[in-house]
Amino acid sequence: MSVQDTSKDEELKAVQAALAAEHAAVYGYGVVGGRVGEERRDEARTAYDAHRARRDELQRAVRDLGGEPQPADPAYALPFPVPDSASAVRLATEIEERVAGVYSDLVRASSGTRRGTAALALREAAVRAARWRGGSVAFPGLAERSAGSDASAPATPQA
């Protein structure tokens, strides 16, 4: 296997991971939208639409790389209970931090236009996380650097 093939395989894995994160984000924002207060519902809807658009772009990218896009799971386990607006805001923050982390990996694994697109997606997720949180972190996309992020509890598909 050539270096170019290895690089393409790593890029495909990173694109698939970003696609999986976007599937989970779309699911998570369904929960956020149902629980968040009226004053932030438009913000949740905008984020939901942005994640759906990124998901669709990533499905095309997987195909462009010769892969089969990973489908969404029927349900995802949430990292914590979301009974009210405050926890919905916390979930939205968590979603964006996790998405930023996955795009950070895609930036490392890709080049050219795809790298630029991944960097833009990382920036957008970091901005949304800062808005939901009410402040920014020093290193968006690096969970070990962001205070209050529980990087050890990833959202997982529910069987």
Side-chain angles (χ1 to χ4, degrees), residues 13-66:
K13 277 195 239 180
V15 172
Q16 288 278 32
L19 176 58
E22 291 294 5
H23 283 313
V26 168
Y27 179 90
Y29 268 104
V31 174
V32 170
R35 297 279 193 245
V36 76
E38 187 64 39
E39 69 281 358
R40 298 200 79 179
R41 197 154 293 142
D42 285 343
E43 188 176 354
R45 188 173 296 114
T46 299
Y48 174 80
D49 290 342
H51 287 290
R52 286 181 54 203
R54 287 280 180 208
R55 177 203 62 199
D56 295 348
E57 287 176 21
L58 289 165
Q59 288 173 328
R60 287 187 293 275
V62 168
R63 286 186 194 97
D64 290 347
L65 288 167

Side-chain angles (χ1 to χ4, degrees), residues 94 97 146-150:
E94 183 80 14
E97 289 173 348
S146 63
S149 175
D150 185 1

Side-chain angles (χ1 to χ4, degrees), residues 6 13 19-20 28 33 40-41 50-51 62 83 85 88 91-92 105 108-109 118 120-121 123 127-128 133 153 157-158:
T6 302
K13 277 195 239 180
L19 176 58
R40 298 200 79 179
R41 197 154 293 142
H51 287 290
V62 168
S85 183
L91 178 60
D105 293 341
R108 279 192 299 274
L120 177 61
R123 183 183 71 77
V127 168
R128 281 191 298 266
R133 183 185 314 99
Q158 207 165 36

Side-chain angles (χ1 to χ4, degrees), residues 2 11 30 34-35 39 41 45 53 60 73 79 92 103-104 106 110 117 137 139 144 155 157:
S2 72
E11 185 175 11
R35 297 279 193 245
E39 69 281 358
R41 197 154 293 142
R45 188 173 296 114
R60 287 187 293 275
D73 291 313
Y103 278 112
S104 174
L106 183 54
S110 60
T117 301
V137 295
F139 299 98
E144 64 273 15

